[in-house]
Amino acid sequence: MEISVIIPVYNEEDNIHMLHKRLSEVMQQLEVSYELVFVNDGSQDNSIALIKALSKQHPEVRYIDFSRNFGHQIAVTAGLDKTSGNAVVIIDADLQDPPELIIEMYQKMQEGYQVVYAKRKKRSGESWFKLWTAKVFYRLLSRITSISIPVDTGDFRIMDQKIVEILREMPEKNKYLRGQISWIGFNQTYIEYDRQQRNSGETGYTVSKMLRFALDGITGFSDFPLKVVTYFGFIVSLFASFVMLYALYARFISQDYQPGWASLMVVILFIGGVQMIAIGIIGEYLSRMNTNIRNRPLYIVRDTNLDHED
Ligand code: UDP
Ligand code: MG
């Protein structure tokens, strides 16, 4: 097998046929042996029935059907666990990532790169909220991590089987694949593209999924928030110790003190808020440690036609 394509699918019934058609054309143009691995991430629509029907007509169509919705990164991970191609492509099912770009990515890979990712120049058809939060997030993340995670890049990419093998060995449960791939290193490069509108349907990434994903990226690759809390703790304590000295001085030496309700409230509320934030940040790290310690399987497969085990 030369190329394996991994396609996470969550409620994409109106996109599957078009995607299959365009991917097949690309693969025929490349003249390589290939498989298309659809991972159905607990869709509530007809997606899995369509995929199974396709797989009956086309032997290169493989599927992994989850028992429920486990999330986009986990769906891709399941695909990575089972693919055997020399090169592995990750692509969205909604045609926001044009399949035709795979040709250029594959050719670039032949120049001696292990990873070729697709960097978004423009993104059409997405809300200003999504564009703005994504922009700020990617820049923040690249500032606070020690590795360089490329900005404005999703998971659309092609990579060598060697990279996939290393990814399988990485034990973390909270996956942030684009960061993990940067962390692995080797020769990585990119091509630029204009991200398209969704062909049909609506985004499966709700705000809460986006937030969790962003926190997975930060906590997985940076201890900066914890350090900020520590520094802040020192600064506040330093300030507090001066105020304490002054309070003692006012009480015992100058004897010039007021029953100071307002100042007391301000200090208590401020310290209370800071402590709350600090505990919350620690909690984010702790809950992820907890997930790793529980060590549950990442996903449950209901049904698959992929038999080669790793
Ligand atoms: N997806 C998934 N599980 C989810 C949400 C999304 O497998 O819980 C898939 C979805 O079908 C698509 C890809 O992940 O192929 C990207 O999702 P989406 O297009 O909804 O996100 P957006 O492009 O809006 O960020
Ligand atoms: Mg999309």
Side-chain angles (χ1 to χ4, degrees):
M1 188 82 61
E2 180 57 19
I3 300 185
S4 298
V5 183
I6 299 173
I7 311 140
V9 175
Y10 180 63
N11 298 342
E12 305 279 11
E13 59 184 0
D14 293 329
N15 299 323
I16 285 166
H17 278 285
M18 170 87 91
L19 177 73
H20 175 256
K21 182 167 165 281
R22 281 173 63 179
L23 276 172
S24 304
E25 281 166 7
V26 165
M27 293 301 151
Q28 267 140 33
Q29 218 173 313
L30 282 172
E31 295 178 326
V32 290
S33 55
Y34 67 100
E35 62 179 355
L36 307 177
V37 182
F38 289 86
V39 185
N40 179 44
D41 185 16
S43 299
Q44 285 119 22
D45 66 358
N46 223 6
S47 298
I48 187 63
L50 294 176
I51 295 166
K52 282 186 176 175
L54 269 182
S55 77
K56 295 233 168 67
Q57 297 161 14
H58 306 276
E60 74 283 359
V61 172
R62 314 278 155 84
Y63 60 85
I64 300 172
D65 185 20
F66 279 179
S67 63
R68 64 169 172 86
N69 180 247
F70 281 91
H72 167 238
Q73 297 286 297
I74 306 293
V76 175
T77 303
L80 292 172
D81 286 344
K82 298 283 186 235
T83 46
S84 51
N86 293 331
V88 175
V89 174
I90 304 173
I91 190 168
D92 282 358
D94 58 6
L95 293 162
Q96 282 196 285
D97 307 328
E100 294 70 28
L101 272 188
I102 296 172
I103 298 172
E104 199 185 326
M105 289 159 106
Y106 183 71
Q107 283 160 354
K108 192 108 191 175
M109 196 178 187
Q110 309 308 316
E111 293 169 16
Y113 293 100
Q114 279 72 38
V115 179
V116 182
Y117 56 86
K119 194 170 165 154
R120 301 159 178 170
K121 252 191 325 197
K122 258 194 283 176
R123 302 173 74 162
S124 36
E126 288 181 285
S127 67
W128 65 266
F129 177 76
K130 176 132 190 170
L131 295 182
W132 186 79
T133 48
K135 193 172 171 185
V136 170
F137 170 70
Y138 285 128
R139 274 151 192 83
L140 171 79
L141 188 66
S142 80
R143 290 198 69 157
I144 65 177
T145 51
S146 44
I147 55 163
S148 74
I149 299 175
V151 298
D152 302 329
T153 305
D155 287 323
F156 185 29
R157 60 190 63 215
I158 190 167
M159 55 198 166
D160 197 275
Q161 180 61 231
K162 191 180 178 90
I163 301 281
V164 176
E165 278 160 25
I166 299 167
L167 277 174
R168 283 188 201 132
E169 299 295 310
M170 289 175 80
E172 62 244 66
K173 304 277 174 187
N174 298 87
K175 301 289 182 190
Y176 190 72
L177 291 166
R178 53 198 81 164
Q180 288 173 249
I181 293 167
S182 299
W183 180 89
I184 291 172
F186 293 105
N187 296 336
Q188 309 202 0
T189 188
Y190 63 92
I191 58 172
E192 284 186 314
Y193 78 117
D194 291 330
R195 189 159 162 88
Q196 306 298 307
Q197 256 175 310
R198 210 170 216 290
N199 179 52
S200 168
E202 51 193 56
T203 176
Y205 260 96
T206 55
V207 174
S208 76
K209 275 184 187 168
M210 257 160 58
L211 193 65
R212 202 174 330 139
F213 183 53
L215 283 172
D216 283 339
I218 293 173
T219 54
F221 292 92
S222 174
D223 291 331
F224 182 76
L226 289 173
K227 292 200 183 105
V228 167
V229 166
T230 313
Y231 295 145
F232 207 70
F234 276 117
I235 292 167
V236 171
S237 308
L238 188 74
F239 181 73
S241 60
F242 286 125
V243 177
M244 220 161 63
L245 285 178
Y246 173 75
L248 290 174
Y249 169 82
R251 173 67 184 77
F252 293 112
I253 298 172
S254 69
Q255 302 277 339
D256 167 28
Y257 66 98
Q258 304 283 333
W261 179 80
S263 54
L264 213 63
M265 285 307 280
V266 168
V267 171
I268 289 172
L269 291 175
F270 178 69
I271 300 282
V274 168
Q275 282 178 340
M276 220 71 115
I277 294 169
I279 292 169
I281 291 174
I282 295 166
E284 290 295 335
Y285 284 86
L286 211 64
S287 78
R288 282 167 178 76
M289 278 171 65
N290 195 24
T291 309
N292 282 288
I293 290 167
R294 273 200 218 112
N295 202 19
R296 286 191 188 137
L298 267 181
Y299 52 86
I300 308 289
V301 174
R302 184 201 302 271
D303 188 14
T304 175
N305 65 350
L306 264 164
D307 27 38
H308 41 255
E309 289 296 318
D310 31 296

